[in-house]
Amino acid sequence: MKNKSSFFLIPYLMWLLLFVAMPIILLTVNAFTDTQGQISLTNLRAFLANGACLKMMVNSFWYALLITGLTLLVSYPLALVIANCRHQRLWLLLVILPTWINLLLKTYAFIGLLGQHGLVNQALQFFGVAPRQLLFTKAAFVVVAAYIEIPFMVLPIYDSLHALDKQIVAAARDLGANAWQTFWRVIWPLTLPGVRAGVQAVFIPSLSLFIITRLIGGNKVITLGTAIEEYFLTTMNWHMGSMIGVILIVIMVLVLLATSGKEQNR
Amino acid sequence: MNIIELRHVTRRYPDGFTALHDINLSLEPGKFYSLLGPSGSGKTTILRLIAGFDQPTAGEILFKGRDITNLPASRRPLNTVFQNYALFPHLNVFDNIAFGLKVKKVAPDEIKKKVERMLSLVRLEGFGKRSVQELSGGQQQRVAIARALVNHPKVLLLDESLSALDKKLRKTMQFELRSIQKQLGITFIFVTHDQEEALAMSDEIFVLNDGRLQQSGSPSAIYDEPVNEFVARFIGDSNLMSGHMIRDFEVEFGNHRFECADAGIKPGEQVQVLLRPEDLSLVEPAQGKIVVDILSQLFLGDHYEIWAKDDGGFNWLIHTVEKAPAERCGLHFAPDAIHVMRLGESESEFDQRLSQYEEHEK
Amino acid sequence: MRKLGKALYLVFAFILLYLPIVYLAYFSFSSGQDMVHFQHFSWVHYQALWADKNLIAIFLQTILLAILSSLIATAIGTCGAWGIFRLRGVQRKTLLVFNNVLMVAPDVIIGASFLICFTALGIGLSFWSVLLSHIAFSIPIVVLMVLPRLHDLDLTLIDAAQDLGAGKGLIFNQIILPEIMPGILSGLFMALTYSLDDFAVTFFVTGNGFTTLSVEIYSRARQGINLEINALSTVMLLVVLLLAGGYLFLTRQHDISLGARS
């Protein structure tokens, strides 16, 4: 039996070695070597010494936080409404459907929507607000990123709402809690795992977005992802690019630990 | 010849837990056997060993005198009806039943004939095209039985097969199982934790506890003559108390001496005394062997269940067809209603003692 | 009143979700050249799309890439899932952790580290490097889709098949495979969408003139509005709608059988 199972595992283990282990190792090696191939901390020092780099990292973190917050704000009520209405599966499918449409296309649509004479400016005009530059602003970046991420936040929250025992809610009402108290004291704490999963699913990709920064944010917003792309494909400094990659991974792991650590305490 | 025999079978798991201790069983062809015990008693382990899903650590399993201990399950001439039925969800009723025949490459028209016959045996004619997931529990159960029987096994193993059904359906299925077994004349081994079920269906029952065989015998023998406290408590309701032997045919318990039907035990030996609640009757205090105060009585449809306390503080369980005549009654029972059990006496010692003094009587 | 509020929010959210998509499709039928004023209805952009042999070639390449990579990833992933399923304890946990590395790793990191890898291994950047990458990032999702099915597999079914005389090969083909097939199919489907959807990884590891639709759209979009892209996205939207409709239809049938069971 043992031999059989390892036979099945051979192609899978090859994959693990070549496409999981090796990339991580090579990325780390690249990050801690200089252009001559010597082991050094040059890249880390350069990163830490450069104010712009540090500012970029903080900004990247801050934007990811904003995007996650905005997404949560829209998604939780949506998940709540869907979990309490008929034809849940249909609504859920309608939430998932946009994720099947290529990210590039959705982003591209916003170039039209947010343009100087686009739909949003037309709407603003209708309400008497003068048209303004929307495209290539930081706000536009945050809104578009949040739009892209909404389904990934709705799904885990919906799952935990759906798993919630309806009788528990009824019990809370029975014990005299009003709608708000029921939500705040019962529903919210019980769906926190879903919220956490959603935050993980949104925050981490938000740190590394680079399509949206390029197409919507102009070059006003530089995230860790944009920086990596820049170093790898434009300035061709792979060592520095790898260093930022390693830093991104470290931040990611910290975020994962911070959001799932609490769950273990429960 | 015995169709199935287990010789000194022990099953020990790698973590040190011993599921079976030195089990010896002999099963004759054409009988309905039950393996009865609480969960964890090892009854399902025995079934899995016989079926071939598991191998014993020591001992051997014989089929018609041939050692099959290491024969894989797929090559044993016996089939199993699983606890959860284990019907293949992606196959319809017909294909589920036909599975074993198809595996053996039986000709398609032959398969069709056999499956149809099985469907009518389990009274599911016309259900062949149904998805097994559409069936009710009782119907699934029948498909599982048909799927096993279509292969003409010499022995049919049933693992807690009725436990998922509701009470009424279970009674029907007990009856049907028994009639199918009579009709086909093959050996059934039925695993259950339900003593009523075992008593109702079996020719012979094996009572198991903690991986050890406690007692085997016909339902009435096990009910009337349990060898120890475990069997007495597990099968039927009982009044159990400790006492000691005065001499042959006389025992003392609850500070009274009573005439009894047991012998072959040393005078003064500590014993356990069993009285079945239905062997007790309530009479005028003066006519009873013991005087009791009635604590409660429940009418259960066909009898009254009465709890009563004697002067020594023992709580008696009494089943009668009539209400208790008064608050304070006499308790009456015949000498042969008292069943005396020696502490730690094994089944074989019990049988030996029984045969000794029964010969003596003759 | 509360009901109305909920309904309004639902409508608002779905307008938000679908506005960009509908907006794109709407202007694909405009005879103009921008997404500001709808001129009049015309198929002109679809005709341009149809005439754009280059774009059609890229479209076909993308589909080929998706089908090839998802099939290979499904095969490797299913074997991997079976292997992991048979393991216990630490070995299993370790493999699962490593399996999830590519699931949580950002696209940019995957792309950059694969680029380093290919360079180190001396593999040139071309269709092959893209194919390898797509297989690589699709494998873990296949494993994650198949594993729960294996866990749900009722092991007594295997006992039952054995009891009825089936050998090991037969048990795998006739019992295990049909039982985990839904998992394998959703794994395949996910791998397909991963490949079709990917931009970042392909962007890093492509070369030698090979592009996918995503990369092509990116480079065109950087130059501004081009209603040919609108036409293309409308076509893709239709494909997605058909897929979703098929999925809904299939799961609804599934629901009926589930409903009858309970």
Side-chain angles (χ1 to χ4, degrees):
Chain A
M1 280 311 191
K2 200 118 203 188
N3 292 333
K4 270 251 171 72
S5 74
S6 42
F7 168 76
F8 272 111
L9 274 174
I10 288 171
Y12 181 76
L13 290 175
M14 295 250 309
W15 164 77
L16 273 183
L17 191 73
L18 286 175
F19 291 101
V20 179
M22 206 162 104
I24 299 174
I25 294 167
L26 285 180
L27 192 78
T28 320
V29 167
N30 253 289
F32 291 99
T33 50
D34 59 23
T35 39
Q36 271 78 49
Q38 299 294 312
I39 294 172
S40 79
L41 293 173
T42 326
N43 305 307
L44 186 62
R45 234 175 274 141
F47 184 88
L48 293 176
N50 190 337
C53 277
L54 282 177
K55 201 174 153 211
M56 179 270 291
M57 190 174 79
V58 174
N59 269 339
S60 193
F61 200 85
W62 172 238
Y63 283 123
L65 214 59
L66 275 179
I67 294 166
T68 312
L70 186 60
T71 313
L72 182 62
L73 211 62
V74 177
S75 303
Y76 200 102
L78 184 56
L80 202 59
V81 173
I82 292 178
N84 286 308
C85 72
R86 277 184 296 167
H87 311 301
Q88 297 187 8
R89 289 174 56 85
L90 179 70
W91 290 116
L92 215 56
L93 191 77
L94 284 174
V95 171
I96 300 170
L97 204 60
T99 66
W100 289 358
I101 292 163
N102 200 300
L103 168 66
L104 264 306
L105 292 178
K106 286 181 285 187
T107 313
Y108 167 76
F110 278 95
I111 300 180
L113 274 172
L114 300 175
Q116 198 72 53
H117 306 286
L119 188 65
V120 176
N121 263 328
Q122 286 175 25
L124 286 178
Q125 219 165 0
F126 181 78
F127 290 110
V129 183
R132 56 188 65 210
Q133 171 77 27
L134 295 171
L135 206 56
F136 307 134
T137 59
K138 292 166 184 170
F141 164 70
V142 173
V143 168
V144 175
Y147 165 77
I148 302 284
E149 305 286 6
I150 283 173
F152 302 103
M153 184 69 93
V154 172
L155 289 181
I157 296 176
Y158 169 81
D159 278 344
S160 58
L161 277 167
H162 191 68
L164 193 72
D165 187 352
K166 293 277 179 289
Q167 290 194 28
I168 289 183
V169 179
R173 299 307 293 264
D174 180 67
L175 295 170
N178 63 29
W180 173 248
Q181 288 166 323
T182 307
F183 173 76
W184 190 241
R185 291 175 180 275
V186 178
I187 300 175
W188 172 258
L190 284 175
T191 51
L192 220 48
V195 172
R196 244 181 242 131
V199 166
Q200 285 179 357
V202 171
F203 190 86
I204 290 167
S206 300
L207 278 174
S208 61
L209 287 169
F210 80 94
I211 306 155
I212 302 172
T213 55
R214 287 265 187 261
L215 294 178
I216 302 291
N219 286 332
K220 295 238 171 43
V221 182
I222 299 174
T223 62
L224 288 165
T226 328
I228 293 172
E229 188 244 3
E230 186 99 19
Y231 277 111
F232 265 89
L233 300 178
T234 314
T235 54
M236 299 299 244
N237 183 351
W238 288 13
H239 298 282
M240 194 60 194
S242 301
M243 190 69 238
I244 299 176
V246 169
I247 289 168
L248 176 53
I249 292 174
V250 170
I251 294 179
M252 206 181 87
V253 170
L254 289 179
V255 170
L256 277 178
L257 287 179
T259 43
S260 56
K262 288 177 207 155
E263 210 156 350
Q264 282 165 354
N265 288 342
R266 285 160 67 97
Chain B
M1 192 202 287
N2 291 327
I3 190 152
I4 296 274
E5 212 176 317
L6 268 63
R7 288 191 188 153
H8 304 291
V9 166
T10 295
R11 179 69 175 100
R12 198 173 295 115
Y13 289 105
D15 61 5
F17 174 72
T18 305
L20 294 175
H21 299 267
D22 191 31
I23 299 286
N24 292 288
L25 296 179
S26 305
L27 310 182
E28 293 166 26
K31 281 193 174 176
F32 196 118
Y33 291 95
S34 288
L35 297 174
L36 176 64
S39 62
S41 60
K43 55 192 192 304
T44 296
T45 310
I46 293 184
L47 198 77
R48 291 179 62 81
L49 290 175
I50 297 175
F53 304 134
D54 195 6
Q55 270 69 46
T57 322
E60 50 190 7
I61 299 164
L62 306 177
F63 175 81
K64 289 190 175 168
R66 194 163 57 93
D67 185 355
I68 58 162
T69 314
N70 293 311
L71 199 68
S74 54
R75 294 177 41 207
R76 297 191 185 194
L78 21 97
N79 288 110
T80 310
V81 177
F82 292 84
Q83 179 168 19
N84 60 357
Y85 316 137
L87 298 178
F88 305 124
H90 59 290
L91 301 179
N92 65 22
V93 170
F94 185 95
D95 289 333
N96 258 285
I97 299 176
F99 188 90
L101 300 174
K102 281 185 181 160
V103 165
K104 291 185 197 81
K105 307 240 178 343
V106 176
D109 47 333
E110 182 79 0
I111 291 182
K112 194 164 158 42
K113 227 171 19 191
K114 288 191 168 184
V115 173
E116 296 295 344
R117 204 165 341 135
M118 271 305 139
L119 280 172
S120 79
L121 179 74
V122 296
R123 302 197 288 110
L124 284 175
E125 291 101 333
F127 277 70
K129 291 277 178 287
R130 296 276 190 98
S131 150
V132 291
Q133 292 174 347
E134 291 171 23
L135 302 183
S136 70
Q139 290 168 334
Q140 291 190 1
Q141 162 88 66
R142 286 170 213 215
V143 174
I145 292 169
R147 185 179 70 176
L149 287 176
V150 78
N151 305 292
H152 296 299
K154 299 288 179 289
V155 179
L156 186 72
L157 307 171
L158 300 108
D159 185 6
E160 302 255 7
S161 301
L162 304 183
S163 59
L165 305 179
D166 62 59
K167 195 174 174 186
K168 205 171 162 196
L169 199 53
R170 204 152 72 201
K171 289 260 189 264
T172 320
M173 284 309 297
Q174 286 175 7
F175 180 74
E176 284 189 24
L177 267 184
R178 187 69 217 212
S179 82
I180 289 173
Q181 190 264 335
K182 285 244 168 73
Q183 207 176 327
L184 300 176
I186 60 178
T187 312
F188 275 37
I189 306 177
F190 188 82
V191 161
T192 181
H193 62 266
D194 183 335
Q195 40 107 0
E196 269 180 55
E197 205 163 271
L199 291 173
M201 296 166 79
S202 321
D203 292 316
E204 202 171 328
I205 299 175
F206 297 94
V207 185
L208 289 145
N209 188 34
D210 285 337
R212 289 190 174 82
L213 187 61
Q214 303 290 324
Q215 188 172 9
S216 64
S218 69
S220 60
I222 285 186
Y223 187 82
D224 293 337
E225 303 282 351
V227 292
N228 58 28
E229 184 181 345
F230 171 78
V231 178
R233 280 193 193 277
F234 192 69
I235 295 174
D237 293 318
S238 51
N239 295 293
L240 270 170
M241 60 211 95
S242 51
H244 60 269
M245 233 28 211
I246 301 302
R247 64 178 81 88
D248 279 0
F249 307 112
E250 190 171 0
V251 65
E252 181 181 319
F253 58 87
N255 293 327
H256 297 279
R257 292 184 179 190
F258 300 97
E259 186 190 341
C260 68
D262 295 83
I265 305 169
K266 285 199 309 276
E269 184 178 324
Q270 283 289 322
V271 292
Q272 287 240 286
V273 177
L274 162 73
L275 286 123
R276 294 289 186 192
E278 64 274 15
D279 292 337
L280 305 174
S281 54
L282 291 170
V283 292
E284 291 288 311
Q287 291 162 351
K289 296 191 174 177
I290 297 174
V291 178
V292 293
D293 294 310
I294 306 298
L295 297 174
S296 71
Q297 45 186 338
L298 286 177
F299 180 56
L300 295 181
D302 52 350
H303 68 272
Y304 284 90
E305 182 176 293
I306 297 169
W307 283 97
K309 192 179 195 167
D310 67 19
D311 296 336
F314 183 81
N315 285 336
W316 291 84
L317 177 63
I318 304 148
H319 290 173
T320 65
V321 288
E322 275 161 36
K323 267 179 108 151
E327 282 293 298
R328 195 169 167 82
C329 302
L331 196 60
H332 182 78
F333 43 85
D336 62 0
I338 300 174
H339 176 65
V340 178
M341 298 180 291
R342 300 176 75 181
L343 303 175
E345 188 176 46
S346 77
E347 194 189 358
S348 51
E349 288 164 338
F350 172 75
D351 289 343
Q352 212 180 351
R353 177 166 63 82
L354 210 66
S355 62
Q356 262 175 11
Y357 77 77
E358 274 172 356
E359 262 166 44
H360 205 70
E361 266 175 59
K362 286 166 199 167
Chain C
M1 208 50 215
R2 292 173 53 92
K3 235 182 175 159
L4 186 70
K6 281 179 187 171
L8 278 179
Y9 189 77
L10 204 62
V11 169
F12 162 75
F14 278 97
I15 286 178
L16 205 69
L17 272 175
Y18 282 90
L19 180 69
I21 297 160
V22 173
Y23 191 70
L24 268 190
Y26 176 67
F27 277 98
S28 73
F29 296 108
S30 161
S31 62
Q33 287 303 325
D34 54 35
M35 284 202 261
V36 179
H37 301 291
F38 191 90
Q39 305 286 337
H40 54 83
F41 181 85
S42 123
W43 294 99
V44 61
H45 302 295
Y46 290 88
Q47 283 155 0
L49 183 70
W50 183 244
D52 193 338
K53 292 284 172 284
N54 186 26
L55 198 62
I56 288 177
I58 292 172
F59 179 75
L60 293 178
Q61 280 175 359
T62 308
I63 300 281
L64 178 75
L65 173 73
I67 292 174
L68 265 182
S69 66
S70 57
L71 283 176
I72 300 173
T74 304
I76 299 178
T78 305
C79 289
W82 179 249
I84 292 176
F85 176 67
R86 304 303 293 267
L87 291 177
R88 290 283 170 271
V90 186
Q91 285 181 317
R92 181 205 194 114
K93 271 193 187 141
T94 319
L95 279 193
L96 278 177
V97 167
F98 276 106
N99 185 69
N100 289 350
V101 167
L102 290 188
M103 293 296 304
V104 291
D107 296 350
V108 185
I109 301 269
I110 297 176
S113 60
F114 280 9
L115 175 62
I116 302 175
C117 254
F118 287 130
T119 314
L121 292 170
I123 297 172
L125 300 181
S126 65
F127 168 74
W128 299 106
S129 58
V130 177
L131 179 65
L132 280 176
S133 307
H134 281 221
I135 295 170
F137 67 61
S138 301
I139 287 175
I141 187 67
V142 176
V143 172
L144 290 186
M145 290 284 151
V146 175
L147 257 186
R149 277 273 157 185
L150 283 169
H151 283 296
D152 286 351
L153 191 70
D154 183 355
L155 290 179
T156 56
L157 288 183
I158 297 174
D159 279 349
Q162 229 180 331
D163 184 69
L164 297 168
K168 280 192 177 130
L170 202 87
I171 290 177
F172 188 81
N173 288 330
Q174 303 218 347
I175 308 300
I176 298 175
L177 216 52
E179 277 294 293
I180 63 172
M181 201 36 104
I184 296 177
L185 286 181
S186 40
L188 182 73
F189 182 76
M190 290 304 286
L192 210 63
T193 49
Y194 270 36
S195 171
L196 286 174
D197 232 24
D198 176 66
F199 163 74
V201 177
T202 313
F203 192 60
F204 272 86
V205 298
T206 193
N208 208 9
F210 182 79
T211 48
T212 61
L213 266 185
S214 302
V215 176
E216 180 67 16
I217 293 168
Y218 178 71
S219 58
R220 290 193 185 196
R222 290 206 76 177
Q223 285 148 25
I225 308 266
N226 174 349
L227 292 189
E228 210 179 295
I229 300 181
N230 291 47
L232 177 66
S233 53
T234 310
V235 172
M236 288 170 79
L237 183 68
L238 275 179
V239 173
V240 165
L241 277 176
L242 280 176
L243 273 175
Y247 176 81
L248 196 67
F249 181 73
L250 284 176
T251 48
R252 173 164 293 175
Q253 295 230 313
H254 188 61
D255 257 4
I256 286 168
S257 68
L258 276 180
R261 187 196 218 163
S262 54

